[in-house]
Amino acid sequence: MLCETCGLEMIIYRVEEKEDGSRETVYACRNPQCPRFDKRLKKPDQ
């Protein structure tokens, strides 16, 4: 899956299970300059 904002490949951040038993995949962008980048992916020293 590609990021709609910057075009780089996104990674699976987590899979959430809904009450009805279906699963939803949550993606995060790997590009630190992208607005869709999840700050929780940053290393502690950065």
Side-chain angles (χ1 to χ4, degrees):
M1 178 174 203
L2 296 177
C3 177
E4 297 170 358
T5 306
C6 69
L8 289 179
E9 188 73 26
M10 295 183 77
I11 60 171
I12 295 175
Y13 185 72
R14 70 175 174 263
V15 177
E16 298 176 345
E17 190 166 334
K18 296 182 180 182
E19 292 177 8
D20 63 356
S22 64
R23 294 182 178 163
E24 180 181 3
T25 305
V26 177
Y27 292 93
C29 185
R30 297 187 299 179
N31 181 2
Q33 286 81 34
C34 180
R36 295 188 68 187
F37 178 74
D38 193 324
K39 304 246 185 282
R40 293 174 286 190
L41 295 175
K42 284 187 108 173
K43 294 180 183 176
D45 62 333
Q46 290 182 341

